[in-house]
Amino acid sequence: MNVAKAVLRGAARWEGALVVILMVEVVVFGALNPRFLDAGRLISSTSDFLYLGIIALPLAIVMMTGGIDISIGSIVSLSAIVTGVTFANGVNIWLAACLGLLAALLAGLANGLAIVATGANPMVITLGTQFLFAGLAVGISGLANVSSFEGISGLPDSFVAVGNGETVGIPNMVLIFVVVAAIFAVVLHGTTFGRQARLIGANPKAAAYSGFAVTRITICAYLLSALGAGIAGVLLTSYLASARADIGANMLMPVLTLVVIGGVSMFGGEGTIVGVIIATFVIGFLQQGLRFAGMSESEVAVANGTALVLVASLRWWTSHTAETLKNQRARRRKPRTPITGSSLQGPEVDVLQSTRTR
Amino acid sequence: MTVPGFLKAREVVTIAGALIFIVGVGVAQPRFVEYENLTRIANSTVILALLAAGAALVIITRNIDVSVGSTMALTGIVGGSMLRDGVSIAVVVPVVILAGAGLGAVNGIGVTYGRVPSIVMTLGTLGAYRGISFILTSGHSVENIPAEFKKIAVTKLLGMPVIVWGASALLIGLMLLMSRTRAGRHLYATGDNAAGARLIGVRTNGMVIIAFSASGALAALAALVFLAQIGSVSNQAGMGIEMRAIAAAVIGGVALSGGVGTILGATFGAVFITTATSSLSFIGIPGFWADTVIGAILLLALFADARVRAGLEKRRLSARYKRELGGPPEPPPGDRPAPAALPSEKRIAGGVA
């Protein structure tokens, strides 16, 4: 109980910090360039990065189970090119989009089954499938004689409008992100699946011994992350009005940045969807703001990489310092008399006293 | 302990796989195994083999380095611009290698003293180093490398480019360092059990920094080979090659759980990948299936490894039951743990047999 509370408090603090950073960003970039604060521009600019959040949210669930999915970028490409090629062969565009999502789900199923069957590190398995899926995407587009530079264009306007249009003044991309985020937040925080997934990451042995369907939950987590990547692939195809086989090639780093800055531990069991949602905006607005402040694309990349490393390092050091301070306070306090018969507390108090007298 | 034999078996599978593959393609297309074509393949393996050796060093310490592609581009651009501006080769080569080692050391320090998980750290520098190399050249590629440097790539000894001889000598040296010296054993100990290694006096942080620096230095060497072979370097150079390097190391039997694997295996993993992708055109498969082939080989290697490991575990268990119970081993009830519990248990144990 206490552990759960401590985790919750820590997470709340982290998300609070993210909100503060977000507000600081808006103020600073607004001061540097007042055009940044234009509400309409601010909202419409989110379409440039929200699709990353759609991939990052389910990836966060995978990472909470202690796994990782390196192949997400390739799944984005795969779903995009399947959508494009089936459309180019005369399939209705909406059915084609569904086939794209289905391809993504199959990819996720392959990931999950391979990880469960071999028991190998998820990073190597998804490294292998990263090549496999990217290769399949390029292969499919090669078989269909698609030019790798132009991709498949000529998509119908109604489909292109999904990624570019607005509904009641709000860009569709934002609406889709809100819906997806709400679904994943409920899945992780409101269902048995979510709680079990988190415990598998925190302590796989305890999870297995308490009778969780570890296999099923693991496979489900990879299915979800593939679904997120598939949705992003179809959405990007609509947003860019073209299906390309290399669309997700460099997507791993920005997506992992969101997940890590969102407070999800690389070792599983820790993190919240809300954190990842806020991180999506923190990083998105950081990049937009830096561009508005006149930085070039490569300078933004350097700033982004530096921020990722610094945040990850600061997280460990702040929690470590907090822990040290807490221990010092506990040591300074007068030790209570141990509860009689408690074999656990006895030696602990002895240790405390001996350090005190030293 | 069966571990040494097991280690050897891991590489034997890769080496045998690569050789069987070459022979198989050679039977189908005799032109493939002509000496000239084989030297061409060896020549194009050099860059990947150097990077795979670096990846192996880092993975053996139970870390991962995904920044080598960007390190290669950045050091290549620095070295290329210096050569173009007339700095002598004798100065450029050590400077570039030191620069690579420095970039790698940044990763190592971040991982050890900064406490950043290695994949996060190196993903950060993957983006940052690539960004810096764009800023340095403002997006242009570096061309006009002097002919005397490019000559290195076409100089041959016994029909084989000197670069191949040099890289082989370097990799053999690294193998000996890893297997015969104290530092090499400390590197393995760090990856196998960091806390235990620290307790017996291994400077684990130092070993991790050394591994990352070596990976950076090898990436810089790969950049020099790139400069000599291609004669120019763009900001896109080496994009995505880090994953191929890691794949080569894993195919060669280096376990991501740390402490297991050799440079020899990683080198042959690289040879396997290059022969497989370059043989595609010989057996009539379009080149765009290359990535699919790499992925399939990697997954096959992982499945084979899982089977071997499960078999060994079973043999170990039955030997133990034989010892404890005497007489013929009965199939014990706990021989096959519940499949649901197995994968996750293995994962937390790091998958080391």
Side-chain angles (χ1 to χ4, degrees), chain A residues 44-272:
Chain A
S44 65
S45 72
T46 57
S47 296
D48 285 337
F49 59 79
L50 279 182
Y51 63 91
L52 293 173
I54 292 175
I55 313 173
L57 292 171
L59 179 63
I61 298 180
V62 166
M63 284 172 61
M64 275 174 220
T65 67
I68 193 166
D69 190 346
I70 304 267
S71 69
I72 39 169
S74 304
I75 299 180
V76 171
S77 306
L78 187 63
S79 76
I81 204 68
V82 166
T83 306
V85 167
T86 46
F87 168 73
N89 283 300
V91 177
N92 175 291
I93 185 65
W94 305 108
L95 186 60
C98 289
L99 288 176
L101 289 181
L102 186 69
L105 280 174
L106 285 177
L109 186 67
N111 275 337
L113 286 178
I115 287 165
V116 168
T118 59
N121 190 322
M123 201 186 284
V124 271
I125 295 285
T126 52
L127 174 68
T129 56
Q130 183 213 26
F131 282 108
L132 197 65
F133 301 151
L136 282 177
V138 175
I140 290 172
S141 77
L143 284 184
N145 281 323
V146 179
S147 144
S148 60
F149 289 108
E150 290 169 17
I152 299 167
S153 46
L155 301 165
D157 290 342
S158 58
F159 179 70
V160 174
V162 171
N164 293 292
E166 293 184 350
T167 311
V168 290
I170 304 169
N172 287 338
M173 207 70 132
V174 177
L175 293 176
I176 295 169
F177 179 75
V178 169
V179 171
V180 171
I183 291 173
F184 283 126
V186 169
V187 165
L188 186 69
H189 298 296
T191 65
T192 320
F193 164 78
R195 282 193 299 278
Q196 293 190 342
R198 195 192 290 259
L199 181 58
I200 289 176
N203 189 339
K205 280 196 173 165
Y209 287 139
S210 40
F212 291 4
V214 176
T215 310
R216 214 175 57 211
I217 292 170
T218 307
I219 293 177
C220 275
Y222 287 91
L223 275 176
L224 283 180
S225 82
L227 181 64
I231 294 174
V234 172
L235 263 183
L236 264 184
T237 305
S238 152
Y239 187 59
L240 304 174
S242 130
R244 299 168 52 111
D246 60 350
I247 207 166
N250 294 315
M251 227 167 252
L252 178 64
M253 185 210 160
V255 170
L256 262 185
T257 306
L258 297 186
V259 179
V260 170
I261 293 199
V264 177
S265 158
M266 293 297 297
F267 308 107
E270 206 183 304
T272 61

Side-chain angles (χ1 to χ4, degrees), chain A residues 65-68 70 114-125 127-132 134-136 138-140 142-143 204-205 208-209 214-215 218 250 252-253 256 260 266-267 298-299 301-302 305 308-309 312-313 316-317, chain B residues 64 110 113-117 119-132 134-135 239-240 243-244 246-247 250 256-257 288-289 291-296 298-299 302-303 306 309 339-341 343-348 351:
Chain A
T65 67
I68 193 166
I70 304 267
I115 287 165
V116 168
T118 59
N121 190 322
M123 201 186 284
V124 271
I125 295 285
L127 174 68
T129 56
Q130 183 213 26
F131 282 108
L132 197 65
L136 282 177
V138 175
I140 290 172
L143 284 184
K205 280 196 173 165
Y209 287 139
V214 176
T215 310
T218 307
N250 294 315
L252 178 64
M253 185 210 160
L256 262 185
V260 170
M266 293 297 297
F267 308 107
S298 18
E299 286 163 338
V302 175
L308 171 65
V309 167
S313 179
W316 189 88
W317 280 106
Chain B
I64 195 159
Y113 295 106
R115 305 278 178 162
V116 184
I119 183 159
V120 176
M121 183 72 212
T122 51
L123 268 177
T125 50
L126 169 79
Y129 293 167
R130 179 77 61 188
I132 294 172
F134 263 95
I135 293 171
M239 220 171 217
M243 291 300 179
R244 283 185 184 221
I246 296 168
V250 172
L256 276 177
S257 43
F288 51 70
W289 290 107
D291 273 353
T292 318
V293 170
I294 296 176
L298 179 52
L299 289 174
L302 290 173
F303 271 98
R309 227 164 36 196
S344 58
E345 269 180 9
K346 269 192 178 166
R347 217 186 307 152
I348 200 173

Side-chain angles (χ1 to χ4, degrees), chain B residues 227-240:
Chain B
L227 277 174
Q229 286 182 344
I230 313 280
S232 72
V233 58
S234 79
N235 295 294
Q236 309 285 329
M239 220 171 217

